[in-house]
Amino acid sequence: MLKAVILIGGPQKGTRFRPLSLDVPKPLFPVAGLPMVQHHIEACAAVPDIREVLLLGYFPAQQLHQFVTDMIAAYKIRIRYLQEYQALGTAGGIYHFRDQISSGNPDAFFVLNGDVCGDFPLQEMLDFHTSLTSPSLITIMGTEATRHQSTMYGCIVEDKETHQILHYVEKPSTFVSNLINCGVYICSPDIFKRVGEIFNSRPDFYSLEDEEGTESIRLEQDILMPIAGTGQAYVYNTDRWWSQIKTAGSAIYANRHYLQLYRTTKTDRLATNGSDKPTIIGDVYIHPSATVDPSAMLGPNVSVGKNAVIGAGVRIRESIILGNTTIQEHSCVLYTVVGWNSTVGAWTRLEGTPCDPNPNKPFAKMDNVPLFNNDGKLNPSITILGCNVTVPAEVIVLNSIVLPYKDLPHSYKNEIIL
Ligand code: GTP
């Protein structure tokens, strides 16, 4: 029997995802029609040996309650939210709830970072983990990155034959290895001893406090770095699609790839063409409660949320339209996220700049570009409308970020509208 722990962080996390995380906890932001961590839960539920999924975070429990109830109904496995009393770190929360994780004596447990996305090969990783001749305390999912980008991740040096981890450095200042940590692990319950040693080596654990949160124990720096080279950590390599979701721009990228995965696994989630239906190009998700005029044209890579209304002649591409939004006739929406309850007037154009990985570089990942460049100017990004925004008819909003509850009076270009 196995369990899975999904680390979802808390309100202070996901700052680079604002304004999209202002109204909903970032892990619940919909990508390809499903809350971000539902994709993790779905991947876990597909592994027959996983009997329980524990969401670990420090969001107030009531913010997760409805989601957890919906997930239990949808996946028929045990799912619970365990709330940390404060940010305990990527290993601290696991240690704090060790009794909950160990109950029922699981052989091992998966740990998934809530802010990664991908075509997670969990069963294959488990087969690799169980086939190891010497027991692994922790097996990490690894993937290849470009030499330049690798330093923004945890870097792994492996023994190419045995896949034992020889060396691990978190975000090194110079190049160490192309093989990076995907934030997906299989841990043996013996890992608790290791984390306990760290915990007990800090006798003043509960009294230490600084802005870094010294109470926390980090899986990467405190556990992986010392275990590397001891023969107890292994890496499982994958070349399937994987990315982090840090910035709002990466939500559009993740949306596109999850929609693409539906083609093989969940075709019923993809919209199809037909008489009296809108024109669909490529992969498009439309919530069953949304109303889309048959003369609209959607796709590729568009998600339309609950009760959204898309008017006549509207064109949408590479965008996420959230619930209860109205896009009035003949508007055009490209590389944009339109927040909940927003209204876009007729003949308006919302357009952002794609921030995709460099297609000419094999293994390139999304660059999590900061909002402003070194000159204090806004970096080109997707356009984002926060929730309850009203955009009038016949304006252009280009590469702009609009905070919630704004009534835009005119057109905007390269601006943050506060
Ligand atoms: P950054 O580039 O700084 O974001 O670092 P990172 O990619 O290594 O991410 P980080 O280690 O901060 O977080 C990895 C995952 O763990 C994310 O999904 C976070 O939401 C989650 N996480 C981070 N800290 C905590 C914590 O204290 N408790 C819980 N439960 N989850 C956490």
Side-chain angles (χ1 to χ4, degrees):
M1 190 270 279
L2 297 168
K3 293 199 182 188
V5 173
I6 305 176
L7 299 171
I8 62 168
Q12 293 85 27
K13 283 264 158 195
T15 49
R16 282 174 285 173
F17 204 67
R18 288 176 186 164
L20 299 177
S21 51
L22 289 176
D23 298 286
V24 70
K26 177 183 157 187
L28 301 189
F29 182 83
V31 175
L34 304 184
M36 216 185 267
V37 286
Q38 187 171 344
H39 294 284
H40 298 62
I41 294 174
E42 198 159 272
C44 291
V47 177
D49 281 347
I50 296 181
R51 301 287 160 75
E52 185 174 47
V53 176
L54 299 165
L55 300 169
L56 223 65
Y58 47 99
F59 290 102
Q62 68 270 23
Q63 291 192 16
L64 271 297
H65 177 74
Q66 189 56 48
F67 173 70
V68 172
T69 310
D70 295 347
M71 291 303 99
I72 294 169
Y75 295 103
K76 315 270 181 279
I77 56 169
R78 268 176 76 95
I79 300 173
R80 283 188 295 151
Y81 174 54
L82 303 177
Q83 185 188 346
E84 295 164 27
Y85 59 92
Q86 66 169 70
L88 295 176
T90 41
I94 293 171
Y95 185 67
H96 185 73
F97 288 109
R98 60 195 179 283
D99 289 345
Q100 303 281 344
I101 299 170
S102 318
S103 73
N105 288 325
D107 303 315
F109 59 95
F110 277 92
V111 176
L112 291 92
N113 283 356
D115 64 353
V116 297
C117 57
D119 181 9
F120 302 117
L122 299 188
Q123 185 60 54
E124 291 83 343
M125 182 179 179
L126 179 61
D127 294 342
F128 167 82
H129 176 82
T130 45
S131 71
L132 293 166
T133 41
S134 74
S136 169
L137 204 54
I138 184 161
T139 299
I140 310 180
M141 188 182 289
T143 194
E144 196 158 342
T146 62
R147 194 182 163 90
H148 169 68
Q149 286 180 324
S150 65
T151 56
M152 282 168 279
Y153 299 88
C155 292
I156 303 164
V157 180
E158 66 165 342
D159 175 324
K160 288 253 187 280
E161 262 171 41
T162 62
H163 301 293
Q164 246 182 42
I165 298 179
L166 304 175
H167 190 49
Y168 181 90
V169 194
E170 186 64 21
K171 302 190 180 90
S173 46
T174 55
F175 175 75
V176 170
S177 160
N178 283 344
L179 187 57
I180 59 163
N181 176 357
C182 292
V184 178
Y185 313 89
I186 300 178
C187 300
S188 146
D190 292 339
I191 197 98
F192 294 127
K193 269 189 238 146
R194 271 304 171 112
V195 191
E197 281 160 23
I198 307 279
F199 184 86
N200 292 324
S201 69
R202 299 179 187 171
D204 46 357
F205 202 83
Y206 286 108
S207 60
L208 289 171
E209 267 187 39
D210 62 22
E211 69 279 2
E212 285 278 281
T214 329
E215 281 198 26
S216 71
I217 304 178
R218 298 156 307 173
L219 190 56
E220 303 82 357
Q221 290 90 335
D222 299 326
I223 310 295
L224 289 180
M225 283 171 66
I227 289 182
T230 65
Q232 294 168 290
Y234 286 82
V235 57
Y236 169 77
N237 287 282
T238 180
D239 55 8
R240 294 205 202 165
W241 164 61
W242 173 89
S243 179
Q244 286 184 321
I245 306 187
K246 296 286 184 191
T247 58
S250 46
I252 296 280
Y253 174 71
N255 187 58
R256 180 192 314 155
H257 281 276
Y258 273 130
L259 288 172
Q260 197 177 328
L261 286 185
Y262 291 168
R263 272 193 233 158
T264 44
T265 54
K266 305 273 175 198
T267 41
D268 55 322
R269 287 188 188 154
L270 291 174
T272 51
N273 283 299
S275 60
D276 275 345
K277 285 183 173 180
T279 305
I280 302 295
I281 302 170
D283 302 324
V284 173
Y285 167 86
I286 301 175
H287 192 276
S289 62
T291 311
V292 184
D293 190 277
S295 63
M297 188 185 275
L298 273 55
N301 309 319
V302 170
S303 296
V304 178
K306 237 185 206 170
N307 299 321
V309 178
I310 312 291
V314 166
R315 176 74 177 103
I316 309 177
R317 243 184 89 179
E318 301 280 353
S319 295
I320 299 177
I321 311 297
L322 296 171
N324 298 316
T325 287
T326 302
I327 314 272
Q328 290 173 355
E329 55 278 11
H330 306 295
S331 283
C332 180
V333 182
L334 312 170
Y335 289 96
T336 295
V337 176
V338 182
W340 292 272
N341 310 314
S342 290
T343 303
V344 178
W347 296 100
T348 273
R349 185 180 180 92
L350 306 178
E351 184 169 357
T353 302
C355 19
D356 297 342
N358 184 342
N360 300 319
K361 286 197 179 162
F363 312 116
K365 306 277 174 278
M366 278 282 303
D367 275 322
N368 293 310
V369 190
L371 222 44
F372 297 100
N373 62 24
N374 291 338
D375 305 327
K377 293 214 174 103
L378 195 63
N379 275 319
S381 83
I382 63 161
T383 283
I384 303 167
L385 303 191
C387 68
N388 296 283
V389 167
T390 307
V391 186
E394 298 177 31
V395 298
I396 300 181
V397 181
L398 197 62
N399 296 337
S400 294
I401 297 173
V402 186
L403 266 74
Y405 298 97
K406 286 275 129 201
D407 272 345
L408 298 192
H410 49 76
S411 296
Y412 287 92
K413 188 178 167 191
N414 302 329
E415 272 192 62
I416 296 187
I417 300 135
L418 299 169

